[in-house]
Amino acid sequence: MKNGNMLFQGKEFYETLFEESPVGIVIQGVDGRVERANLKFCQMFGYSIEEVTGALLDDLVAFDPDLACHAASLTKDVIKGQELFIETERVRKNGTRFPVVIRGVPIIQGEKVQAVYALYEDISERKEAENDLRRERAHFERIMLDSPDGIAVFDGEGIIIRCNHAFEDLFGLERGTGVGSCLSDAVGSGGKKEQVEKNIEEIKNKKRVYHESVRSRKDGKDIFVAVRSASISPGEDPEYMVIYRDISERK
């Protein structure tokens, strides 16, 4: 009796996982038809459970012609015993497309595929965030390119990973040679390298620094600059930005 209760509790546990999962789950037969689907799957694609059960899965989620052939190919692969993990697009009942991550796992018994366990995760929010980030980066790159001030972005080791032409021109560097060089080498010639390295450490610690100083061009000529710097990407791979404005005329 005790073992029976434990087995029953186990079934309840997995039923709860299936029904309450935050991702859409489908059990697909080897004929390609839906044997079971959870509520999240139905909500994700806009179908009722009655519409889903017994229908061909690919007809539900990939009925657009340009999706259908690829979806059918993936279904065949999983039914043959291959596991699937892919980021792609699928289509809702109302015809709207959205990005998903699909995981397909063949259920094998007696060395034969009996069904397919498929999970669908809607990644629309993640994709929107990625697109927003790309737009922000593009906007930043445009501002950086057009700025009359010298701008450089460097990593935790002080290596320049992006800079504009104004930065290279300000410090007498050949076009295209700024990226990959050490910031302290690029702006700290004439005995000012140690001071620049100290400023880099201040940026890392204070996150935002402003001061006026003297820097040297590659040809050894000193220039007065206003320096603004800040951390722009904290974390495991931090990035820092420094802006140099030539204030020699004011001085």
Side-chain angles (χ1 to χ4, degrees):
M1 186 69 176
K2 183 178 180 181
N3 289 337
N5 286 337
M6 290 178 65
L7 180 61
F8 179 71
Q9 290 171 1
K11 287 181 178 179
E12 282 190 333
F13 174 74
Y14 287 110
E15 282 294 319
T16 301
L17 283 181
F18 183 87
E19 293 297 341
E20 302 298 329
S21 173
V23 300
I25 303 177
V26 172
I27 305 297
Q28 180 186 27
V30 293
D31 60 356
R33 296 185 181 276
V34 176
E35 295 182 0
R36 284 193 65 186
N38 69 351
L39 179 62
K40 185 65 177 181
F41 176 86
C42 296
Q43 292 174 337
M44 187 182 299
F45 288 95
Y47 293 101
S48 67
I49 191 66
E50 291 78 17
E51 291 175 304
V52 167
T53 305
L56 289 169
L57 178 59
D58 291 342
D59 287 351
L60 294 172
V61 303
F63 53 80
D64 280 357
D66 60 324
L67 294 177
C69 290
H70 185 234
S73 176
L74 295 176
T75 297
K76 288 179 181 178
D77 288 341
V78 181
I79 290 174
K80 288 178 182 178
Q82 298 181 28
E83 290 194 8
L84 168 70
F85 180 87
I86 189 171
E87 186 175 305
T88 184
E89 282 189 328
R90 286 297 178 259
V91 59
R92 294 187 175 90
K93 180 182 178 180
N94 64 10
T96 59
R97 291 193 181 200
F98 65 106
V100 293
V101 168
I102 305 174
R103 296 172 176 85
V105 181
I107 301 172
I108 301 174
Q109 292 180 338
E111 299 184 355
K112 186 177 180 180
V113 176
Q114 301 294 330
V116 173
Y117 187 78
L119 296 90
Y120 290 80
E121 181 182 359
D122 184 347
I123 57 171
S124 299
E125 290 186 3
R126 193 190 85 191
K127 284 295 184 181
E128 185 175 348
E130 290 174 355
N131 290 335
D132 287 344
L133 181 60
R134 277 194 288 270
R135 284 191 290 268
E136 287 178 7
R137 284 190 175 274
H139 182 60
F140 170 73
E141 293 293 340
R142 186 73 259 172
I143 292 174
M144 184 173 175
L145 183 65
D146 294 340
S147 174
D149 295 326
I151 303 176
V153 177
F154 61 95
D155 63 16
E157 301 298 321
I159 303 300
I160 298 171
I161 53 180
R162 292 194 298 281
C163 69
N164 62 358
H165 291 326
F167 173 84
E168 293 172 326
D169 293 344
L170 180 61
F171 291 100
L173 306 174
E174 293 182 14
R175 290 284 179 91
T177 63
V179 173
S181 62
C182 182
L183 180 64
S184 58
D185 290 334
V187 306
S189 59
K192 299 179 179 63
K193 183 174 180 177
E194 185 176 338
Q195 183 184 3
V196 175
E197 290 175 346
K198 181 180 178 181
N199 292 150
I200 290 174
E201 291 304 314
E202 289 178 352
I203 296 168
K204 293 179 182 179
N205 295 327
K206 295 182 180 179
K207 306 304 180 185
R208 191 176 295 272
V209 175
Y210 173 80
H211 64 278
E212 294 183 0
S213 186
V214 178
R215 292 291 180 264
S216 296
R217 291 168 49 89
K218 185 179 179 180
D219 59 12
K221 179 183 177 182
D222 286 345
I223 51 174
F224 289 93
V225 290
V227 185
R228 294 182 183 274
S229 50
S231 171
I232 59 172
S233 180
E236 293 184 2
D237 299 309
E239 293 182 3
Y240 308 90
M241 180 175 66
V242 58
I243 303 173
Y244 295 94
R245 174 167 293 180
D246 187 350
I247 57 172
S248 299
E249 291 186 3
R250 174 158 65 84
K251 291 293 184 177

